[in-house]
Amino acid sequence: MDNTAPDTHAIAACRHCHAPISAAPHLREEDDYCCEGCFLAERKQRALAAAVDEAPSALAEALVAALDAREHETGLHSKRTACHTLV
């Protein structure tokens, strides 16, 4: 018969990579832990996704700026037009 008591001080594990977290966890949500490496990787992935979402708008703005720089007679016609379409 085994008389050992269950370990009530179990080491937490990362919810992503399941690595044991012996030091203070980088992120804790209720009973869910995240190690620093996984936390930083997730933040990098979110930032990359946000940059990909903004890329088409940035391209359009760059093309408009190039056109405005080339055509001096029109001034900032495209900017004024964009302002009117957003209203």
Side-chain angles (χ1 to χ4, degrees):
M1 179 154 242
D2 188 15
N3 289 338
T4 58
D7 186 12
T8 57
H9 299 290
I11 296 176
C14 177
R15 67 179 172 197
H16 300 289
C17 67
H18 305 290
I21 302 174
S22 57
H26 195 72
L27 176 68
R28 178 179 180 189
E29 295 174 353
E30 296 178 15
D31 289 334
D32 218 7
Y33 297 90
C34 183
C35 69
E36 183 177 11
C38 291
F39 175 76
L40 293 175
E42 186 176 344
R43 285 192 63 182
K44 183 178 179 181
Q45 187 66 27
R46 286 183 186 176
L48 180 61
V52 168
D53 289 343
E54 295 172 2
S57 297
L59 175 63
E61 288 179 16
L63 291 173
V64 167
L67 181 63
D68 281 342
R70 182 174 166 230
E71 300 295 329
H72 296 289
E73 292 91 25
T74 60
L76 296 175
H77 176 71
S78 56
K79 289 279 188 187
R80 289 192 303 272
T81 305
C83 288
H84 290 295
T85 58
L86 295 176
V87 173

